[in-house]
Amino acid sequence: MALKQASKFAHLDKQQGLNMTTDTQLIQEKRSEEVPFYSIDEIFTLRNGYTPSKSNPDYWNGTDTVPWFRMEDIRKNGGVLDHAIQSVSRTAIKGGTVFPANSLIVATSATIGAHALITVPYLSNQRFTSLTLKPKFRKMIDMKFAYYYGFILDKWCMKNTTTSSFSSVIMSKFRQFRFPIPPMPVQKAIVRILESFTSLENELENELEKELDARLLQYAHYKDSIFIRESKLVGTIPLGKVGTFIRGQGLQKKDFTTTGHSCIHYGQIYTDYDIETTTTKSFISDSLAMKLRQAKPGDLVIATTSENDQDVCKAIAWMGQESAAVSGDAYIFRHRLNPLYAAFLFSSSIFQKQKVPFITGTKVRRVSGKNMARILVPVPSLERQAAIASTLEQFHSLINRSTTSLLDEIEARHKQYEYYRNQLLTFRELHA
């Protein structure tokens, strides 16, 4: 099966100058043979990660430090790591012993389904269980092979969890997870093949992401050029002259119901809505809705609180048939503009550059309605606004379709690679 799947990638071999024929033949020859399996508990020494006390500054500010790995390291830097975003002082090490280099860290609580190979001595936080080869197995297992087999373990972990305050892997079962040990030449052949395809997949994915970025940049430039031109033609006036900013209030996620009165929570503006919407993701009771401020059809709803400057003041046009309750940390903009024109205007550099001096806060960044009202914008005739909105809406839809297509292509490559990897890592267990 693995050999048949490999043929799908043959043309990619030629592009990269790779010759994997020998490796693939070796794997195929060994495929029919059974291999020994051992439990994780037999192969590895397990140690739980931990977080040194935050109340002791010496643990976090020393000069003699050791890398301390968290989930953020895997998300930012991948699955084979030789440095961490954050380090801790050696005085913080329990028992004075770090976790050995060339160990795996496996997420066994909270965010489950990730692992990494750490190639330097280290510590990790309590979300990870560290797996270090026992002396008996050090010459029997290539840790890069163990790293790739870790993807099989990740899937298993996600299906074998218990939930209390947060998800955690059932560790009694985890210790009994069966781990194959094929002959070392087979392990190394699998590693060579998967490393080649990992490199190739990353290269192709980077090309697709560059194409996506180029399209988004082209769209942003086109949109900005329209509003810059209108500013030169008709001048600019403060937003406060064409509308009123009304702060939302009192809506929390715990208030959501499956049906009822439409509502928009500020956090959903970032995650669930595009430039306009006619329906809401969430609802609240009619009795609560009567107490809250409402966006009327045609109003903008603006998320005015964010953890970063780029996202703050993202706006959507509410185009539903009825009013929608709006949460705190969001503003309603009731205006005399074409709603779509206004929404596109808020996403343009004309607005975005002017908001920067008005952003306040440290960890949480926000902009007030009073300051948004001071931002200068072009206000052509309603007929011209409608024409601009129509043009930008068509361009926006085209970009969305292109983005979806490219993201689907990236996902298809991920699945293709994952399928091939799983085939290479499938073995028949040798029974005594």
Side-chain angles (χ1 to χ4, degrees), residues 165-186:
S165 56
F166 54 82
S167 296
S168 59
V169 175
I170 302 171
M171 293 307 294
S172 59
K173 292 185 177 180
F174 180 85
R175 289 177 175 274
Q176 297 306 311
F177 177 84
R178 306 290 287 171
F179 197 100
I181 305 184
M184 185 60 75
V186 174

Side-chain angles (χ1 to χ4, degrees), residues 65-205:
T65 61
V66 61
W68 181 64
F69 290 96
R70 300 167 295 161
M71 189 61 71
E72 287 84 351
D73 291 284
I74 297 176
R75 290 174 180 150
K76 183 176 181 179
N77 296 319
V80 180
L81 302 170
D82 61 6
H83 66 280
I85 297 170
Q86 192 167 8
S87 297
V88 297
S89 171
R90 288 188 177 273
T91 60
I93 300 171
K94 291 182 179 180
T97 305
V98 297
F99 301 164
N102 294 316
S103 296
L104 294 179
I105 56 172
V106 181
T108 51
S109 65
T111 306
I112 296 168
H115 73 286
L117 173 62
I118 311 299
T119 62
V120 294
Y122 70 99
L123 294 178
S124 73
N125 73 4
Q126 60 273 20
R127 300 307 182 200
F128 291 104
T129 298
S130 290
L131 279 61
T132 304
L133 281 176
K134 292 180 178 179
K136 173 184 175 181
F137 292 93
R138 287 175 187 166
K139 293 184 179 180
M140 297 171 61
I141 296 177
D142 183 314
M143 282 306 293
K144 273 292 188 72
F145 172 80
Y147 164 72
Y148 284 114
Y149 204 80
F151 290 100
I152 305 295
L153 178 59
D154 287 341
K155 296 292 186 182
W156 181 92
C157 286
M158 294 172 70
K159 296 177 182 178
N160 289 271
T161 62
T162 181
T163 304
S164 52
S165 56
F166 54 82
S167 296
S168 59
V169 175
I170 302 171
M171 293 307 294
S172 59
K173 292 185 177 180
F174 180 85
R175 289 177 175 274
Q176 297 306 311
F177 177 84
R178 306 290 287 171
F179 197 100
I181 305 184
M184 185 60 75
V186 174
Q187 292 184 44
K188 290 188 176 297
I190 288 172
V191 168
R192 283 193 294 269
I193 291 174
L194 291 179
E195 286 191 334
S196 296
F197 280 108
T198 298
S199 176
L200 181 57
E201 185 197 25
N202 289 340
E203 180 180 335
L204 295 173
E205 185 174 320

Side-chain angles (χ1 to χ4, degrees), residues 186-427:
V186 174
Q187 292 184 44
K188 290 188 176 297
I190 288 172
V191 168
R192 283 193 294 269
I193 291 174
L194 291 179
E195 286 191 334
S196 296
F197 280 108
T198 298
S199 176
L200 181 57
E201 185 197 25
N202 289 340
E203 180 180 335
L204 295 173
E205 185 174 320
N206 287 337
E207 289 177 2
L208 290 171
E209 289 176 346
K210 286 180 181 178
E211 183 177 350
L212 175 58
D213 289 343
R215 293 183 185 184
L216 292 174
L217 186 64
Q218 181 186 28
Y219 168 56
H221 176 76
Y222 177 69
K223 177 173 58 179
D224 290 343
S225 68
I226 289 177
F227 289 116
I228 290 170
R229 182 185 62 207
E230 294 302 315
S231 297
K232 292 178 179 178
L233 289 174
V234 301
T236 59
I237 59 175
L239 279 169
K241 294 290 186 180
V242 292
T244 303
F245 289 92
I246 306 162
R247 187 170 185 174
Q249 65 181 130
L251 172 63
Q252 301 180 42
K253 290 182 178 180
K254 66 180 180 63
D255 299 320
F256 291 168
T257 58
T258 54
T259 59
H261 189 87
S262 298
C263 68
I264 299 173
H265 188 273
Y266 86 96
Q268 296 171 338
I269 295 174
Y270 297 123
T271 58
D272 298 305
Y273 297 114
D274 192 16
I275 200 75
E276 64 171 317
T277 185
T278 58
T279 59
T280 61
K281 178 185 177 182
S282 302
F283 304 88
I284 55 173
S285 66
D286 290 334
S287 59
L288 177 59
M290 292 176 62
K291 303 175 185 178
L292 302 179
R293 296 186 180 120
Q294 309 279 328
K296 296 179 180 180
D299 288 348
L300 292 194
V301 183
I302 310 155
T304 52
T305 298
S306 174
E307 293 182 354
N308 64 76
D309 292 3
Q310 181 178 351
D311 289 341
V312 70
C313 291
K314 181 187 175 184
I316 60 170
W318 169 239
M319 306 296 283
Q321 297 298 311
E322 59 178 14
S323 62
V326 175
S327 74
D329 290 324
Y331 272 83
I332 301 160
F333 182 47
R334 189 154 296 147
H335 54 85
R336 301 190 301 275
L337 305 173
N338 176 286
L340 270 182
Y341 175 86
F344 284 120
L345 184 58
F346 269 67
S347 68
S348 72
S349 65
I350 291 284
F351 179 92
Q352 293 295 317
K353 288 180 180 178
Q354 292 185 72
K355 80 178 181 183
V356 174
F358 298 133
I359 299 174
T360 60
T362 52
K363 184 176 181 181
V364 177
R365 309 289 277 166
R366 62 181 77 245
V367 177
S368 69
K370 179 180 178 180
N371 282 327
M372 284 190 290
R374 298 164 62 184
I375 291 177
L376 302 174
V377 298
V379 182
S381 68
L382 284 174
E383 181 181 6
R384 177 63 181 157
Q385 290 178 40
I388 290 171
S390 177
T391 299
L392 288 178
E393 187 175 24
Q394 292 178 44
F395 208 144
H396 189 77
S397 297
L398 176 62
I399 289 296
N400 280 347
R401 289 195 299 271
S402 298
T403 300
T404 300
S405 176
L406 289 172
L407 291 176
D408 286 346
E409 176 67 15
I410 291 171
E411 179 63 21
R413 293 186 183 278
H414 279 313
K415 290 181 177 179
Q416 184 183 35
Y417 170 74
E418 183 177 335
Y419 175 82
Y420 181 56
R421 183 186 65 211
N422 289 344
Q423 295 304 309
L424 286 175
L425 295 171
T426 298
F427 300 94

